Amino acid sequence: MTNYIMIGMLKIRCSLSRYNIVRGDFCDEIYPYLRDENGDKVMYCVSPLHGRSFVVCKNSDGRYVVSKGNGLSYTQYQMLHTKEFFDGTWGLLLRQDAERDFILGQEIKALGIKTNNMEYVLELEKNILLPNGHTVKPVLLQYNVECPYRISDAPFMKPEQIQAEVAKWEKMNDRGYEHSYMIAANVLVRNLRILHDNGVLHNALNEQNYTWALELVDFELACSPKHPYTEEDDRRHVKDLFPREIIQTYVIINYIAGALGEDIDFTFVDSLFAEYGFDLKQYVV
């Protein structure tokens, strides 16, 4: 492992915890970190928008190892419970969500979509007493990505960081687009086609769940024919319809064009959606 200070990232102190492996692909190393201002370890906050995810190191392949569920990436407090999410707590990850993220992530990767490499789901041997009287154990999802920055992180990035990532898109430009946002649009709309053709609902498509390497991430709300929602999931999640993800993908494309300072041609983008079988005309009112 290559552990070093991540340039431009905020250092957050943390401590090691005893743990049990819930799921794992047995990678090089495990990072059972929990935010602790008095801790003797350090993890790195990419931006406050990540909420409960931190970079812990770069691995031997040059990919960023991320741990999710370690506490808040903003405020002076480790975690906050606002009661509207039952046992859900800002900064923590519930076990059923971590396992769904892990399982659906592997399924979506197997479909050929560029995404993160899942490593572990860990349950820490630590009891957290919530205001509702319930006790939960912190659960971590560990994975690695090519780029730790999400599309939404653009305001927290230096222009040269964005430019360096966008330059890599050319290897995905099999259509020879001149504008970078169209390279991204083609990848995103093609991903949506693959997901929907296989009955997969991501259910959280937004600029926070794509990295600047165009990796689709965050599957804790997703479902598929192989992994449908349970009755408990039905109570906890709002099940958006598949057509909604067409509009959500369009919003991400707009965000990318804006972040890159490119003027978007809506007619061109509409045609791309139609080419992949998402004809917006059928939704016109």
Side-chain angles (χ1 to χ4, degrees):
M1 291 294 175
T2 304
N3 285 296
Y4 61 90
I5 294 176
M6 306 293 174
I7 302 300
M9 298 185 191
L10 178 66
K11 290 192 290 185
I12 301 290
R13 302 204 69 81
C14 58
S15 58
L16 285 171
S17 296
R18 295 177 63 86
Y19 63 90
N20 295 304
I21 297 175
V22 177
R23 294 182 182 273
D25 274 359
F26 308 104
C27 60
D28 295 337
E29 196 164 343
I30 294 175
Y31 298 91
Y33 290 172
L34 194 63
R35 181 176 173 180
D36 178 0
E37 297 306 314
N38 298 313
D40 59 353
K41 301 292 183 182
V42 173
M43 51 190 179
Y44 302 89
C45 175
V46 174
S47 93
L49 296 179
H50 287 231
R52 57 183 174 181
S53 295
F54 301 86
V55 169
V56 293
C57 74
K58 250 188 170 183
N59 66 18
S60 56
D61 294 326
R63 294 174 63 86
Y64 293 84
V65 179
V66 176
S67 188
K68 177 179 178 180
N70 321 66
L72 283 168
S73 61
Y74 51 86
T75 87
Q76 62 182 312
Y77 304 108
Q78 183 186 39
M79 61 196 72
L80 296 169
H81 184 76
T82 51
K83 300 182 182 180
E84 72 267 32
F85 299 125
F86 304 100
D87 289 346
T89 302
W90 298 101
L92 292 183
L93 182 62
L94 296 177
R95 176 167 172 164
Q96 61 265 41
D97 293 338
E99 290 197 76
R100 179 171 288 275
D101 203 335
F102 186 97
I103 294 168
L104 267 295
Q106 289 188 316
E107 181 179 345
I108 288 169
K109 184 179 180 67
L111 294 177
I113 291 176
K114 187 178 183 182
T115 181
N116 48 357
N117 296 324
M118 296 296 182
E119 295 183 358
Y120 289 101
V121 175
L122 310 173
E123 185 176 72
L124 303 185
E125 294 183 1
K126 184 178 181 67
N127 292 323
I128 304 295
L129 178 62
L130 302 179
N132 61 11
H134 294 180
T135 298
V136 299
K137 292 183 181 295
V139 174
L140 308 182
L141 175 69
Q142 182 176 314
Y143 61 84
N144 66 72
V145 286
E146 178 182 330
C147 176
Y149 291 98
R150 310 291 179 90
I151 299 299
S152 60
D153 291 329
F156 300 93
M157 299 171 67
K158 295 180 179 179
E160 53 267 30
Q161 290 178 306
I162 296 176
Q163 292 167 6
E165 294 299 331
V166 173
K168 301 174 186 176
W169 294 359
E170 193 56 40
K171 61 186 177 184
M172 294 181 273
N173 189 14
D174 51 4
R175 296 190 172 198
Y177 289 122
E178 294 182 6
H179 293 94
S180 297
Y181 82 85
M182 282 303 301
I183 301 175
N186 186 52
V187 172
L188 269 57
V189 179
R190 182 168 54 208
N191 284 352
L192 191 63
R193 183 72 277 156
I194 294 171
L195 291 174
H196 287 193
D197 282 351
N198 287 276
V200 178
L201 182 72
H202 184 278
N203 208 12
L205 284 181
N206 55 56
E207 57 274 9
Q208 194 162 337
N209 289 332
Y210 266 105
T211 74
W212 276 100
L214 303 183
E215 300 158 292
L216 178 61
V217 297
D218 201 343
F219 310 106
E220 69 189 70
L221 299 180
C223 66
S224 72
K226 293 181 181 178
H227 301 100
Y229 288 138
T230 64
E231 289 186 9
E232 181 183 356
D233 291 324
D234 284 340
R235 292 193 298 269
R236 295 174 58 237
H237 305 325
V238 176
K239 291 196 295 186
D240 293 329
L241 299 176
F242 283 84
R244 185 180 181 88
E245 297 198 319
I246 302 171
I247 308 302
Q248 291 171 331
T249 300
Y250 213 130
V251 171
I252 302 169
I253 295 167
N254 273 287
Y255 194 101
I256 290 171
L260 299 181
E262 295 182 332
D263 294 327
I264 190 167
D265 186 329
F266 296 121
T267 302
F268 208 25
V269 177
D270 289 354
S271 296
L272 179 67
F273 273 97
E275 184 179 339
Y276 279 100
F278 301 113
D279 191 351
L280 297 175
K281 290 179 182 178
Q282 65 179 298
Y283 305 110
V284 172
V285 294

